[in-house]
Amino acid sequence: MPLQRDFKDIVRLAEPMAPHTWFALGGPAEFFATPRSVEELSALVKRARDEELPIRLLGGGSNILVNDQGVPGLVVQLSAPIFSGIAVDGSRVKAGAGAKLGHVVSTSVREGLAGLETLVGIPGTVGGALRGNAGGRGGDVGQWTCSATVMTRTGDIMRRERQDMVFAYRTSSLDELVILEAQFQLEQDDPSELVKRMQKLWILKKASQPLSHQSAGCIFKNPRGMSAGMLIDQAGLKGARVGGAEVSDRHANFIVAHPGAKSSEVLTLIEMIKQKISERLGVELETEIEIW
Ligand code: EPU
């Protein structure tokens, strides 16, 4: 295949996706690329476009479920060092899309910069966090984002300023093919206070979510004014199981995959939960995770 021949240093064929995801499930990606520079990424994007290959960007793999059949087309991961730098300048923090959100949070806190500490414990990369406006009760990543650099489907680079971006509950207007980097405008604060605040939030999160299990965080978005976890719990679905996929008994909006589980079992469990919640409570749940 010409794509693999011309980009042989960075493209792999039939790359297993399970090790790249928190669910650790699913089949291989037809092509998997880890470009080493923005130029290489742009060339790859243009080439995939010419060959009409679908492209998907993989962040930290913590909010996706890959089908057992695998992913057709090209999966790109910005794991090369050039895409994961973090730099602090006054009260601004600049981070590459491939940087771990957790590293950006800890760097900011260490520098005495407040805002992102409420995101403690959220897995994934800066790119993934921005795309889905990751957050929780304490706030979301969008509210601190003052600019972003993106690459379009034609391989061109654009900069988005605060006024060009819209962030809402688990969604953002940054829908170009690639998010390359972002800048966060934070607030000066006392580092030791910040550390305390972050630790408290971390303890609360660990107590209420099954973080050490194979899962992908919350499966469903919260319906307006309600908690999906509470609804699933009240419907008596904690512990409900399809094969190796089980509704967590710690937090009902998490599905835990046991050894030997298949993606199809997680998908069947998701459908079962949706149907039960719709029948019993008249609420249509919508998945928060992406299904590839
Ligand atoms: N609850 C239950 N049973 C459960 C789970 C929750 O009764 O099994 C109750 C809790 O006791 C609480 C209420 O439901 O009264 C809300 O629960 P929680 O505070 O855990 O928040 P959530 O709405 O379920 C949201 C985000 C989480 C985020 C937390 C904390 C969504 C879908 N979920 O959960 O985000 O960590 O707030 O900020 O928005 C994620 O998106 O992947 C995620 C984990």
Side-chain angles (χ1 to χ4, degrees), residues 63 135-138 169-170 205 208-209 216-218 220-222 227 229-230 233 238 250-254 288:
N63 206 40
R137 307 217 159 264
Y169 175 65
R170 294 301 193 273
K205 195 172 172 82
S208 62
Q209 299 179 2
C218 284
F220 300 102
K221 291 182 184 175
N222 282 344
S227 159
M230 191 189 271
D233 190 357
K238 272 188 173 172
R250 183 167 298 185
H251 193 298
N253 199 3
F254 281 64
E288 176 188 310

Side-chain angles (χ1 to χ4, degrees), residues 57-237:
L57 262 289
L58 173 69
S62 51
N63 206 40
I64 58 169
L65 173 64
V66 176
N67 262 295
D68 294 321
Q69 295 73 18
V71 189
L74 173 66
V75 173
V76 176
Q77 190 174 41
L78 303 183
S79 50
I82 186 89
F83 297 109
S84 32
I86 302 175
V88 181
D89 178 12
S91 53
R92 278 196 176 196
V93 176
K94 185 155 95 175
K100 293 270 182 291
L101 182 66
H103 287 166
V104 181
V105 171
S106 55
T107 304
S108 309
V109 165
R110 199 172 53 236
E111 296 287 327
L113 295 174
L116 298 178
E117 71 282 359
T118 61
L119 308 181
V120 65
I122 297 183
T125 59
V126 166
L130 254 78
R131 174 62 53 106
N133 191 20
R137 307 217 159 264
D140 55 46
V141 72
Q143 75 192 85
W144 305 100
T145 307
C146 58
S147 71
T149 310
V150 298
M151 185 181 283
T152 63
R153 277 161 222 283
T154 48
D156 300 307
I157 294 171
M158 327 267 274
R159 197 177 143 100
R160 302 270 179 253
E161 301 300 334
R162 176 80 242 181
Q163 63 274 16
D164 312 322
M165 299 183 283
V166 182
F167 293 98
Y169 175 65
R170 294 301 193 273
T171 171
S172 87
S173 60
L174 292 171
D175 60 356
E176 287 81 10
L177 180 64
V178 189
I179 295 169
L180 289 171
E181 66 171 31
Q183 284 202 68
F184 306 105
Q185 176 67 57
L186 305 175
E187 291 163 0
Q188 305 279 350
D189 205 336
D190 174 28
S192 62
E193 283 302 312
L194 266 176
V195 169
K196 269 190 224 154
R197 215 148 74 212
M198 185 173 74
Q199 282 169 342
K200 240 188 223 169
L201 289 164
W202 180 223
I203 290 165
L204 286 175
K205 195 172 172 82
K206 274 202 292 194
S208 62
Q209 299 179 2
L211 300 178
S212 57
H213 292 71
Q214 243 175 273
S215 81
C218 284
I219 296 288
F220 300 102
K221 291 182 184 175
N222 282 344
R224 191 179 287 271
M226 290 184 269
S227 159
M230 191 189 271
L231 297 179
I232 300 166
D233 190 357
Q234 283 172 354
L237 291 171

Side-chain angles (χ1 to χ4, degrees), residues 38-49:
V38 175
E39 294 71 33
E40 210 166 43
L41 171 65
S42 173
L44 188 65
V45 164
K46 287 180 180 153
R47 185 56 180 281
R49 195 164 176 260

